[in-house]
Amino acid sequence: MNRTLAALAALSLVSVSTVAQGQAPSLESQADAALKGDTHAWDFVEGITTEVGPRQAGTEAEARARAWATAWLTAKGFANVADEPFMMDTWVPGDIARARVTAPFAQDLVVLPLGDSAATAAGGIEGEVVFFRTVDDLRAAPAGSLKGKIAYISHQMRPAQDGSHYGFAGPVRWVGAGIAASKGAVATVIKSVGTDHHRNPHTGGTSFPEGVAPIPAGALSLPDAENLERMFDRAGGRPITLKLELNPRQIGQTQSGNVVGEIVGSNPSLPPVLLACHIDSWWNAPGAFDDGAGCAIIAAAALNVARSGQPLRTIRVLMAGAEEVGLHGSVAYSKAHIDEAIAVGLESDFGADRIWRFDSNFLEANPALHRRIAASVARFGVSTSREAAGGGADLNIVRDQKGALIDLQQDGTRYFDLHHTPDDTLDKIDIAQLRQNVAVWTQVVGILADESTSIQTGGPIPSAPAIMQRQ
Amino acid sequence: MNRTLAALAALSLVSVSTVAQGQAPSLESQADAALKGDTHAWDFVEGITTEVGPRQAGTEAEARARAWATAWLTAKGFANVADEPFMMDTWVPGDIARARVTAPFAQDLVVLPLGDSAATAAGGIEGEVVFFRTVDDLRAAPAGSLKGKIAYISHQMRPAQDGSHYGFAGPVRWVGAGIAASKGAVATVIKSVGTDHHRNPHTGGTSFPEGVAPIPAGALSLPDAENLERMFDRAGGRPITLKLELNPRQIGQTQSGNVVGEIVGSNPSLPPVLLACHIDSWWNAPGAFDDGAGCAIIAAAALNVARSGQPLRTIRVLMAGAEEVGLHGSVAYSKAHIDEAIAVGLESDFGADRIWRFDSNFLEANPALHRRIAASVARFGVSTSREAAGGGADLNIVRDQKGALIDLQQDGTRYFDLHHTPDDTLDKIDIAQLRQNVAVWTQVVGILADESTSIQTGGPIPSAPAIMQRQ
């Protein structure tokens, strides 16, 4: 534990579970107070970005982040704090990432590798670039037509409040390299899947189909991608050649882990409320928005609920490891805990801008609770809808149990300006919007944690998880 | 000449000087047309950023940029196009720029060298960081107090429409490293002199006093600088150590040059109107705002004036080389041409956002002309003031001649978000504001070029430059 956390521990002498019900402020006033002046969330996200920074899964940096979070949760008075380890295959980006147009115009382009990219030969590879305006155009290219070529794949992603353009443009990154490789391409570069105009590429995972050998796969920053496209306009049909050098590599199995902690309920035999986020980030991203803020919000909400009196149910925070690189933490957590019923799962993993909508997957099965929660957060500017909540990436356990899920939808307009880039830094967090998140989470989690009937149905609490009952 | 420029040349068969006075649109309508739809300026800045990009003075990239500009001016029909060479001392940045906080928290920081920085030893140097909140705090540090230390110098620069915070914060970069070196520091890192929050440091020149050996001097991006400052807050007095590795070097004398071209006036014996910009950029900056836009604006204005009929005076454009690294082009141009009287000088070198004020240095000596120009640009949202115009960096010749100067003040609110960074890319240019610049320049240059009396005094044209008359 470092000095900062020791100091925090000293401040936490009054454990979070010791506030007696009678003396405590109401849940509503606690949520209102969070809106005005929550300090827990900022302390977490400022701390982890300042003292740790980028923390790629399976590396020593993520291990430091897990130790930091474990110490923070302990210092804040969480119970049953643990770092539950698991093993995973780990890819690292290397330290060379260069791209240069060599003809007909000479210019360096800013590039970073995508997760699971292969390396180029030392010194780089050079090839003619074939321009695809969309991933569908790439899909339509004839078999073998990219032999010896470098595929460049573009898109027209735009900012969207609900983030839905990630689904629109994301396949460029998710499957573009694999499709290009299957048609003979020696490498792929994509326009970063993002919405900003800074010279910082957006990385993220890519994948290759069974039987297709990985090829070098990079992301250009959006200004560089647009420059490359203008070169095609100005080249008048002359071939554009690119030299690309990347040296990522697979390093085999390494350890990651899931950090957990609890506010213990007065009836610990009831299924807990599970609040999830992820602790890892990509190597290039300090992870303020993705997902330091999410961990900050869920932990702050748990602490604020506890300050309004011990809840009926246990509130468990899950700061999952290795989300970015393939949801390994979510899978490992579900595997390890599938027999422990979860009452309801909620995740924060979409930045720190304001929550604007509450969705659940129990509107039809438990309409009274859905409406009560919706009414409770209206004062924070949060509406509701008939969309069924699907839960965040780290809630595999709840999906595997076919359990109750809530999505507290955040404004994602700025999210893909920062996602998976070096620009994902603390200064991007608007503390007023961060506090609105904490206030909404405090209100919602407080209601859920004091619910004595089944959240999913409004009926009696089932004696075992749904997944077990169905067996 | 490449194909693009060959195509442009084909489009320019009607030379700019062939429009007969009677058939030509009025100057006013030509300026109004520029506001609505000028294409020359965009063509220049899009072309040079796409086909050349970064172009540091004295390097092969600047030589390519000068050749590109020469070909563009020729294709557009300018007369007397030339690239006037001069020699200069050249510093290059190298290819290693790494900074890592090693204790008490481990984290990489994004750094770039400042112009004229020394190199570190191979493998880097490590030292305790001493934090100075202002350059005045650094000045106040006792002699010898930085022995073996790395100085970190901060500032509180804010965006300002008139760009005046560059003067407020600029000394951190201009003299910080030299002061630190004189007090024994082994290296300096500064908070970038800029106003954005992206992970792209702002480079720029630094300097060392006579007798003080240069030390390694880097700029951190603003988010990294703020992170370093937060580390001081969180370190509780523990020393913060930084490892820095930079490998810039001086490569001796290389060639740069000044690109010039003219719209020849009907009375070429009258002193010309000189329009200046600079063709070079820092190695890390594609130079859209600084100063591709400036060259685009002046060249477009000259072309638009010519389309309204042959002017009385010659209009000369000067795209100076080697501005960034010490105004070498401006100095060389004045030295070579000091005996040729210049009627008036104007420079565009502050981005591409709208012009909001017209200043001259002849308000008292030639108030009628000052007022006529001010009235002519009011319709474009341009006011005037009693501030005396000082002229841009590349107008040394006019200052040396004690001649007439005009400043067309641009909105600099965004300028120091981009200045000397990789983010200085084409997408930052708002074409509507770029066109307002061209419109204002067209109007002003058109008036100046048809002025038959002395611009400086309203009296007879002097027979020799002021500097010659005084001898």
Side-chain angles (χ1 to χ4, degrees), chain B residues 108-430:
Chain B
D108 291 328
L109 304 179
V110 180
V111 71
L112 283 179
L114 298 179
D116 283 332
S117 167
T120 62
I125 54 170
E126 192 164 358
E128 184 183 340
V129 182
V130 184
F131 177 8
F132 297 98
R133 293 202 175 271
T134 67
V135 76
D136 281 340
D137 287 356
L138 172 65
R139 286 190 176 103
S145 63
L146 296 179
K147 200 167 162 56
K149 306 286 178 65
I150 297 175
Y152 164 71
I153 319 163
S154 186
H155 61 78
Q156 293 297 331
M157 183 176 184
R158 295 289 181 272
Q161 182 173 326
D162 67 358
S164 56
H165 266 219
Y166 189 46
F168 167 62
V172 168
R173 191 191 82 218
W174 305 332
V175 299
I179 297 170
S182 72
K183 294 173 191 284
V186 294
T188 304
V189 288
I190 65 169
K191 181 197 268 189
S192 280
V193 175
T195 51
D196 66 303
H197 276 87
H198 299 285
R199 303 290 291 291
N200 290 312
H202 297 239
T203 191
T206 191
S207 61
F208 297 89
E210 195 72 28
V212 173
I215 58 173
L220 302 175
S221 86
L222 285 108
D224 289 277
E226 292 181 357
N227 205 2
L228 179 60
E229 295 185 21
R230 285 194 300 271
M231 287 181 182
F232 276 92
D233 289 341
R234 286 181 164 261
R238 288 169 293 175
I240 291 184
T241 54
L242 182 77
K243 188 170 181 188
L244 181 70
E245 187 172 10
L246 302 171
N247 69 344
R249 65 188 199 281
Q250 302 285 351
I251 58 169
Q253 289 257 311
T254 67
Q255 184 177 288
S256 180
N258 289 317
V259 173
V260 293
E262 291 184 340
I263 303 296
V264 177
S266 58
N267 184 351
S269 71
L270 289 174
V273 177
L274 182 66
L275 317 185
C277 66
H278 65 86
I279 197 75
D280 64 313
S281 73
W282 286 97
W283 83 93
N284 63 329
F289 250 46
D290 185 15
D291 183 28
C295 293
I297 290 162
I298 69 166
L303 290 168
N304 288 332
V305 170
R307 294 295 294 175
S308 73
Q310 188 180 18
L312 180 66
R313 297 178 190 256
T314 291
I315 302 167
R316 185 179 300 163
V317 300
L318 163 60
M319 300 182 172
E323 188 266 355
E324 297 291 4
V325 295
L327 318 189
H328 299 299
S330 186
V331 170
Y333 190 81
S334 183
K335 192 171 168 193
H337 297 276
I338 190 67
D339 289 346
E340 304 164 27
I342 302 294
V344 59
L346 306 80
E347 178 153 346
S348 180
D349 183 17
F350 203 49
D353 283 345
R354 71 185 176 84
I355 295 169
W356 59 284
R357 204 177 74 194
F358 152 70
D359 297 331
S360 83
N361 68 349
F362 51 79
L363 171 61
E364 293 185 14
N366 191 356
L369 180 61
H370 181 103
R371 286 187 199 128
R372 186 149 60 92
I373 294 171
S376 77
V377 292
R379 72 186 190 283
F380 300 120
V382 180
S383 72
T384 187
S385 83
R386 300 194 66 83
E387 296 282 322
D394 299 300
L395 293 172
N396 268 12
I397 187 169
V398 184
R399 280 185 294 270
D400 291 343
Q401 292 181 356
K402 307 261 190 270
L405 290 164
I406 285 174
D407 290 339
L408 296 171
Q409 306 285 6
Q410 295 171 283
D411 185 336
T413 309
R414 295 195 302 155
Y415 190 70
F416 293 103
D417 288 355
L418 307 171
H419 185 238
H420 300 181
T421 77
D423 275 344
D424 183 6
T425 48
L426 183 68
D427 51 271
K428 306 309 182 302
I429 294 183
D430 171 359

Side-chain angles (χ1 to χ4, degrees), chain B residues 3-38:
Chain B
R3 279 191 209 186
T4 309
L5 288 164
L8 279 174
L11 287 171
S12 300
L13 287 179
V14 180
S15 151
V16 288
S17 58
T18 61
V19 179
Q21 212 88 6
Q23 310 157 321
S26 71
L27 177 65
E28 286 66 27
S29 66
Q30 197 64 26
D32 289 342
L35 184 70
K36 276 194 194 150
D38 175 77

Side-chain angles (χ1 to χ4, degrees), chain A residues 197-199 230 422-423 428, chain B residues 50 197-199 422-423 428:
Chain A
H197 277 88
H198 300 286
R199 302 290 293 289
R230 285 193 301 270
D423 275 345
K428 306 309 182 304
Chain B
T50 304
H197 276 87
H198 299 285
R199 303 290 291 291
D423 275 344
K428 306 309 182 302

Side-chain angles (χ1 to χ4, degrees), chain A residues 149-174:
Chain A
K149 306 286 177 63
I150 297 175
Y152 163 71
I153 319 163
S154 186
H155 61 79
Q156 293 298 331
M157 185 177 183
R158 295 289 180 273
Q161 181 173 326
D162 67 356
S164 55
H165 266 218
Y166 190 46
F168 167 62
V172 168
R173 192 190 83 219
W174 305 332

